[in-house]
Amino acid sequence: MNSNVLDFDTIIIGGGAAGLAAAVAFGRRAGGASFALIEKEQKLGRKLLATGSGRCNLTNMNMSEEFYNVSARPFMRRMLSRVTPERLISSFESLGLLCRADSEGRVYPCSNQAASVLDVLTLWLGRTGCRVFCGCRVGRIRRENGGYLLEADDKTFFAKTLILASGGQASAALGSDGSSYRFARDLSLPCEPVFPSLAPVFASDRLLPSVKGVRAAARVSLVADGKTAACEYGELQLNDKTVSGVCVFQLSRLVNEFLALGTVNGRRCESVRIVADLVPDISAGGLEELLAKKCRSLPDAPSDALFAGVLNRKLGVYIMKKCGIPTNGETLSSLSAAQIGAAAQYAKNAVFTPGAPSRFDSAQVTAGGIPLSEIDRNMKSLRFGGLYIIGEALDADGLCGGYNLHFAFAGGITAGAHAAKSEVKKHDKDK
Ligand SMILES: Cc1cc2nc3c(=O)[nH]c(=O)nc-3n(C[C@H](O)[C@H](O)[C@H](O)COP(=O)(O)OP(=O)(O)OC[C@H]3O[C@@H](n4cnc5c(N)ncnc54)[C@H](O)[C@@H]3O)c2cc1C
């Protein structure tokens, strides 16, 4: 081996959630093995610090493969039977992190600070003897001499075992920039097309700027070819070009899958719409009656007051404009029963038609990537010896609620522990 090459038993590329979990799991078990963690950013765990709005929603007590993309579910079922939320929490407890679940099962550190999660991981990492190279971007990977040669900025590394934890392409400002997909090409690994998930959805609607900044509690559905494919309840946030809020984030995967591949949940389809019930607490008939009563009781009030007291006033006017109902200089008495009925119907079924794919830089997760069929239950490549792939680089993405970090941490712990076991076996044989 060339003396300028930094040679380790094991190298982990990526100091995010998956890579850090793998490094700690490896280091705690593989006494004597030399290993390194390479991270392109100047600091470890930048994205981790931003998770859960700075609180880090690290798993969810309400766990099922159903919360992941359809193609990942068989793999997730097996993984989740081994690494349950309880098991993940107890792994973190063994590092000294106290966690608690909120009323919806979302698990956070008791400190309510993502920094606590990063703290325990880096404190333990410090104990393991891991060489950490921050500010070092791996550009290329080659298989050589029964191992992996990594070309980074001004350094070359070699390891017999490589753990690929370089993430996806979402929120590149926090680190992961799609390098994983280049590495897949370097290693001749297949890669499913990638697209953003958990992101604001661009809606083609010229009236949207009039409700910029408005928020409404809504039931939001993803309707594909006229059928409801998914439904969420939450706060809908309207902006001049996008609709967002956690409820929309949850549907954005299907919207972007449709825009990228023409499918929804893997099934080909022709059209996709987001349909929002903006007044979910009352039936369409009840709403129509309420609006009609208002028109009768306040005949001289301006027509743009139709939804006053029911919805944000701007949103009410938006609905009326969508239905072609005059909102200037008219009075409530001038509105016909048909107009009132149409406004009530639209408020219960406001349509937002996706106009363009979401942007990776405002997405929380990348869908697509290296197929799960490439790895075994230990996250080990079925194609190449000594290669593990974990985290968002893989074609597995979950809903908001701690499911993505669960997958990243669970994969990291599994791969790190398995790589360490192989390392110990190798050393025992060499003795
Ligand atoms: C704002 C935001 C909030 C989120 N909140 C939550 C949440 O509360 N709960 C949840 O479950 N999920 C959340 N997610 C998603 C979750 O953070 C990710 O799914 C998870 O971090 C993926 O872990 P990872 O280790 O695979 O990738 P990352 O955390 O992205 O880590 C990959 C690391 O590899 C490094 N890297 C990339 N390329 C190279 C290279 N060429 N050379 C060297 N290093 C490289 C990157 O700099 C990065 O540090 C959130 C995401 C975002 C953006």
Side-chain angles (χ1 to χ4, degrees), residues 13-19 38-41 45-48 50-52 56-58 136-139 165-168 171 174-177 179 182-183 363-365 390-393 401-406 408:
I13 306 180
I38 308 177
E39 166 57 50
K40 76 186 249 294
E41 297 294 306
R46 283 195 59 213
K47 189 180 285 178
L48 194 53
T51 58
C56 186
N57 176 195
L58 55 105
C136 183
R137 183 171 189 274
V138 177
S166 36
S171 292
L174 297 172
S176 54
D177 59 358
S179 290
R182 215 185 35 255
F183 297 154
Q364 291 195 358
V365 174
I390 54 177
E392 214 176 295
Y403 301 106
N404 290 295
L405 281 176
H406 185 98

Side-chain angles (χ1 to χ4, degrees), residues 252-335:
S252 63
R253 192 225 196 250
L254 299 182
V255 170
N256 289 305
E257 180 191 330
F258 172 73
L259 294 172
L261 308 174
T263 58
V264 166
N265 278 333
R267 287 213 190 109
R268 193 137 288 284
C269 94
E270 297 297 322
S271 75
V272 148
R273 291 174 305 151
I274 286 181
V275 178
D277 178 352
L278 300 169
V279 206
D281 301 320
I282 187 167
S283 67
L287 179 62
E288 188 173 342
E289 223 175 283
L290 187 129
L291 298 180
K293 196 167 155 198
K294 183 184 287 167
C295 293
R296 284 196 303 275
S297 348
L298 298 167
D300 302 328
S303 64
D304 68 1
L306 182 64
F307 282 97
V310 176
L311 279 176
N312 176 299
R313 189 94 173 231
K314 279 190 199 164
L315 193 52
V317 171
Y318 168 86
I319 291 168
M320 293 173 75
K321 284 189 175 154
K322 286 300 247 185
C323 299
I325 303 170
T327 54
N328 270 335
E330 312 282 331
T331 58
L332 286 180
S333 64
S334 69
L335 300 183

